[in-house]
Amino acid sequence: MEDNAVVFDNVSKSFGRAGARAVDRVSLTIRPGEFVTILGSSGSGKTTLLKMVNRLYDPDEGRVFLHGEDVRQANPVTLRRRIGYVIQQSGLFPHMSVAKNIATVPNLLGWDKARIRERVDELLDLVGLDPTTYRKRYPRELSGGQQQRVGLARALAAGPAVMLLDEPFGAVDAITRQSLQEELLRIHAGLGKTFLLVTHDITEAFRLGGRVVVMDGGRVRQFDTPSAIATAPADGFVRSLVAAEQEREAVWKEVRHG
């Protein structure tokens, strides 16, 4: 398991007294440097699965490994400092400047001021924001897309080997979303880190993921490349998902061609 980035080993998770499991006996292996998307509707278990990597949730059964280490053996705070985490709402601290937001984890790790300043500027450049213009701004002075870019920069600040992204573009408009997807692909290609991204959008899942986990009812229905899922759906659920997307594409083609 040491050679893998993230391993879910027969993990299950339930909440409260509800009979149904939010995650039901899931086993997956994510290789270092992969971009894997986790696709599913609300309640499918995709976010619960993601949150078991950084111990926001612990599994009731099974184990999760990060680079060969059982995450339950790690201190949660120390673990989370090694993992980048981006959510739908950027989660920026409103009373802190862009630079201070990005510097949150490096400050906690005791980096010196010169190193932090250099890292902040490097990351602002990486996410397409001019450091001179944006370093001293506050979240309220940014658009939704700019806030997400800063949130991504903050998650990357300490150089985590694994990035977890939970519906990161769900709250922005379609044009901004496409632009951010392109940026994310560029950043992933340049850094070679392991990305796990949760989405309910099949287009986004197929566009970003080298492999896609399709979830429903807490279970994995298929885990394969976008091409394999589109051409050989594993079951009726995946088949209906692909058919719905193909129907949507057909409608757009019809509209474009009058």
Side-chain angles (χ1 to χ4, degrees):
M1 289 188 182
E2 298 82 8
D3 296 332
N4 297 307
V6 180
V7 175
F8 299 96
D9 180 18
N10 202 35
V11 296
S12 295
K13 180 68 177 177
S14 299
F15 294 100
R17 297 181 179 179
R21 290 173 167 177
V23 171
D24 188 10
R25 291 169 290 182
V26 168
S27 292
L28 295 169
T29 298
I30 315 298
R31 299 185 291 264
E34 275 198 288
F35 197 139
V36 171
T37 52
I38 306 173
L39 171 66
S41 59
S42 178
S44 64
K46 58 190 187 300
T47 292
T48 300
L49 188 69
L50 191 79
K51 288 181 175 180
M52 285 194 276
V53 178
N54 61 359
R55 293 199 63 192
L56 291 176
Y57 297 141
D58 283 330
D60 299 326
E61 300 172 17
R63 296 184 296 174
V64 181
F65 294 89
L66 180 69
H67 295 292
E69 178 187 9
D70 185 338
V71 298
R72 293 191 75 166
Q73 304 304 313
N75 177 282
V77 174
T78 304
L79 177 73
R80 289 169 196 151
R81 289 176 185 172
R82 293 163 45 202
I83 299 171
Y85 186 48
V86 183
I87 57 176
Q88 183 177 114
Q89 304 292 344
S90 63
L92 300 178
F93 299 115
H95 62 289
M96 291 168 58
S97 68
V98 164
K100 287 184 177 179
N101 264 285
I102 295 172
T104 300
V105 174
N107 271 318
L108 290 171
L109 295 174
W111 291 18
D112 65 65
K113 290 183 179 180
R115 183 184 178 192
I116 289 174
R117 182 180 176 85
E118 182 181 349
R119 182 62 171 160
V120 167
D121 288 356
E122 176 189 4
L123 286 166
L124 284 171
D125 278 331
L126 183 69
V127 299
L129 297 174
D130 176 54
T132 304
T133 303
Y134 290 97
R135 189 189 300 116
K136 294 182 179 180
R137 289 192 182 179
Y138 285 81
R140 65 179 178 274
E141 300 173 304
L142 306 176
S143 69
Q146 289 167 344
Q147 288 183 27
Q148 284 304 93
R149 288 172 187 266
V150 174
L152 180 60
R154 183 176 66 179
L156 288 164
V162 173
M163 287 285 292
L164 308 179
L165 304 105
D166 190 2
E167 298 271 13
F169 311 138
V172 298
D173 62 87
I175 295 173
T176 303
R177 185 179 188 128
Q178 184 169 343
S179 172
L180 288 169
Q181 288 170 353
E182 291 169 358
E183 286 293 319
L184 195 61
L185 284 171
R186 178 184 62 80
I187 289 167
H188 177 261
L191 297 178
K193 297 181 183 295
T194 307
F195 280 29
L196 280 176
L197 181 143
V198 160
T199 181
H200 66 274
D201 186 314
I202 187 172
T203 301
E204 181 167 84
F206 278 30
R207 183 182 188 199
L208 296 177
R211 291 196 293 166
V212 179
V213 181
V214 181
M215 291 191 70
D216 181 57
R219 295 188 175 186
V220 173
R221 296 301 190 103
Q222 191 164 0
F223 182 27
D224 215 326
T225 64
S227 175
I229 292 171
T231 56
D235 60 19
F237 173 80
V238 181
R239 195 174 301 112
S240 66
L241 198 67
V242 171
E245 181 63 16
Q246 290 171 338
E247 176 65 23
R248 187 169 71 167
E249 283 297 309
V251 170
W252 276 110
K253 287 179 181 178
E254 186 177 328
V255 170
R256 284 197 296 266
H257 295 92

